[in-house]
Amino acid sequence: MAGLLDLLNSDLGKQLISGASAQTGASESKTAEVLSMALPVLLGAMKKNAQTQEGASGLLGALSNKHDGSILDNLGSLLGGGNVDQSVMNDGAGILGHVLGGKQPVVENTLSQKTGLDAGTIGQILKIAAPILLGVIGKQTKQNDVNDSSALSSILGSMLGGQPKGNQSLIESLIDADGDGSVLDDVAGMVLGSNKNKGGLGGMLGGLFGK
């Protein structure tokens, strides 16, 4: 099972970084930095949502229909030339609204503080990344014939897995650090907040891009 580290370092990840960079005008290294912090947050939020019957069934429905992985077959034309297909952007906006809810501005602003890119640019990068991340998950669920919430959680968990132990516990605590069921309350402090937090997800994934 490919994890997020493998995903960002793969040809698909490089296509995503290059397409989002061309669309927004942000450098590829900054775009990679944003994605390295944002993808675990999105995946963690999806995993948390999938722990409820309603959340799991909504996600499974999306993965078996629109987000079955077929987007990955046509990435070159969808992301090409700094002109990302509008349907991808609209789809991404819907996914972010569903997965992050009212926490979306918190995530965008915190990523903005961390990377120096403005929140609007961060929002654009997230809109491009969300449908592709869902496509990757959809492809995995199809290949593994996943049709219930526990199997879905297992797929999401294995994509988040494979991290060094300290980072793994950081991801787990990020997902619901204060135990109130709100996935992203502690995003700012846990993963993206302090510059000294080099052992966090940003530091771990940043190493892939020569940071």
Side-chain angles (χ1 to χ4, degrees):
M1 180 68 61
L4 288 179
L5 282 168
D6 304 318
L7 172 63
L8 276 172
N9 224 8
S10 68
D11 288 342
L12 186 154
K14 287 167 187 163
Q15 257 186 314
L16 169 56
I17 290 163
S18 155
S21 166
Q23 172 80 8
T24 60
S27 70
E28 289 201 5
S29 64
K30 282 286 182 192
T31 303
E33 195 181 341
V34 171
L35 289 169
S36 72
M37 290 185 275
L39 290 180
V41 171
L42 291 176
L43 195 57
M46 286 179 201
K47 186 169 187 287
K48 181 72 177 176
N49 288 346
Q51 287 170 3
T52 69
Q53 196 54 52
E54 185 186 354
S57 123
L59 187 51
L60 281 168
L63 294 172
S64 61
N65 293 302
K66 187 173 185 181
H67 300 287
D68 60 358
S70 51
I71 188 174
L72 307 180
D73 302 331
N74 201 22
L75 267 194
S77 63
L78 287 173
L79 298 180
N83 187 22
V84 174
D85 194 286
Q86 190 58 44
S87 66
V88 174
M89 303 292 283
N90 293 342
D91 193 22
I95 294 166
L96 293 173
H98 183 71
V99 170
L100 301 180
K103 300 292 180 183
Q104 189 175 337
V106 176
V107 174
E108 291 174 359
N109 288 326
T110 309
L111 281 165
S112 170
Q113 290 162 18
K114 184 71 174 168
T115 60
L117 293 176
D118 66 87
T121 301
I122 302 282
Q124 295 288 303
I125 294 172
L126 295 184
K127 281 179 197 171
I128 297 166
I132 293 166
L133 177 60
L134 226 56
V136 170
I137 299 167
K139 190 174 182 181
Q140 299 275 15
T141 55
K142 200 175 186 180
Q143 287 171 348
N144 292 276
D145 199 21
V146 168
N147 54 21
D148 63 60
S149 57
S150 66
L152 177 61
S153 281
S154 173
I155 290 270
L156 298 174
S158 62
M159 285 183 71
L160 268 173
Q163 325 285 3
K165 193 165 183 190
N167 291 323
Q168 184 64 41
S169 61
L170 181 70
I171 296 166
E172 286 164 4
S173 54
L174 149 74
I175 289 167
D176 183 18
D178 54 8
D180 67 349
S182 181
V183 178
L184 294 162
D185 273 354
D186 302 272
V187 149
M190 297 299 298
V191 171
L192 314 169
S194 65
N195 289 326
K196 66 186 179 192
N197 191 11
K198 288 289 181 195
L201 292 167
M204 168 186 69
L205 288 157
L208 287 175
F209 307 105
K211 297 259 172 251

